[in-house]
Amino acid sequence: MECSIRSSSLVPPRPLSGHGVPSITARFRLPRLKASIKRSGVVFCQATGSWDKGFGNGIPRVPGQVFVEEAIGAEYGEGFETFRMDGPLKVDVDYLNDRLQECFLQRVRHSMKPDEAFGLIFSWDNVMVDTRSLKLNVWKQLASEEGKELPEDMHTRKLILHAAADHVLRKVLCWAEEESELERLKSRLLKLYYENLLKLDKPIEGLKVWLDAIYTAGIPCAIVSSLDRMHMHECLQKMGLKKYFQAFVTLEDGMESIAHRFLSAALKMDRKPSKCVVFEDDPRAITAAHNCTMMAVGLIGAHPAYELDQADLAVASYSELSVINLRRLFAHKGSHFMDLQKQIIDKSPPKRKLMTDTIY
């Protein structure tokens, strides 16, 4: 099996003016991972096919890519394994932090404009747009079409919004027993989701103002999502947000966990994972960000504040953020932060006190 890691997006990337020339991204290619075998914490992957394979009439044929509970990833050194002429090469969090070093010109520029050294990663769900309400409305539409009743209790609502479609249809709502009926409902659910998605024309409140401030500061941004690239670009274009982002990690990249998406975004932005900040609303994604040595900003909304206590910073809206907040996240991190240090002990003998005896 073989995979390669690619740092460029499938669409022509917008040049990052003033961010220097990438020093390592040309060496890697980000894969479409078709299958993986975990051995000793390393993911062995295989890249196959063209990016538009698996799509029909503009709608992805895999409903679970949207209505699914994804793996966290990046645990115990998990990463990618790529094979080269000189042997296998492990690409994980530590490897990227070590190899994605700034070149001399970048270091000079970042010393004058330190904000440009960061990379910001935005999740699509409930961070860019209100997909929580969108998914709930889609389930209500499906229930109306099928002549079913959707339970109103909070526990069922939480499962509907966060669990996989297979589990919800079979175990929670008990709408499908046969495999053919399950596939039909999943296909219709996904079609309704994309139809409603394209009607969105407004992002989360305060997001555009925050992105304007980031754009002015020259900080590169990326989006990670399980959506396909075509629908994501169409939504961003309609909301007027496309110009703010330089990297996209979507369904076509074939990432198998949340952490893999974050690492892929860092690689595409040519930023070390330890220099990236993830904006998320899901506690599991915040854990994935920390597994990737990234900082995490939690958005209170879909989850209450007490569930986002692991985040480095939790805010109720984007209006509470400023570029200075980003600097403060990294204020405690130096080149030797949390590294073992040798304690210097002065072993020189104590100085003698001179005593002068006076003889009269």
Side-chain angles (χ1 to χ4, degrees), residues 186-234:
K186 286 167 58 180
S187 178
R188 181 57 182 163
L189 184 69
L190 186 66
K191 186 176 182 181
L192 289 172
Y193 179 83
Y194 277 95
E195 287 176 356
N196 285 270
L197 179 69
L198 296 178
K199 296 177 183 178
L200 294 176
D201 56 358
K202 292 182 180 179
I204 293 289
E205 185 179 357
L207 175 62
K208 196 165 186 178
V209 177
W210 171 236
L211 290 176
D212 275 325
I214 296 171
Y215 188 80
T216 303
I219 306 175
C221 298
I223 299 180
V224 297
S225 173
S226 58
L227 291 177
D228 65 284
R229 201 176 304 273
M230 180 185 69
H231 284 90
M232 173 177 284
H233 280 276
E234 190 171 345

Side-chain angles (χ1 to χ4, degrees), residues 23 47 93 128 168 172 192 308 312:
S23 59
V93 179
M128 299 287 298
V168 174
V172 180
L192 289 172
L308 303 176
D312 300 286

Side-chain angles (χ1 to χ4, degrees), residues 282-298:
D282 188 353
R284 301 177 72 255
I286 291 174
T287 301
H290 287 162
N291 287 349
C292 296
T293 68
M294 299 178 180
M295 292 294 180
V297 175

Side-chain angles (χ1 to χ4, degrees), residues 63-64 66-69 135-136 138-140 142-143 148-151 155-177 181-182 185-186 189:
V66 175
F67 297 90
V68 71
E69 186 178 16
K135 288 182 178 180
L136 192 58
V138 167
W139 278 106
K140 289 180 179 179
L142 183 64
K148 308 283 187 179
E149 291 186 3
L150 199 65
H155 177 69
T156 304
R157 288 290 177 89
K158 187 174 182 180
L159 289 174
I160 287 174
L161 292 172
H162 301 290
D166 302 63
H167 177 73
V168 174
L169 291 170
R170 278 181 171 172
K171 304 296 184 181
V172 180
L173 301 177
C174 302
W175 288 0
E177 294 182 0
E181 179 68 7
L182 178 65
L185 291 175
K186 286 167 58 180
L189 184 69

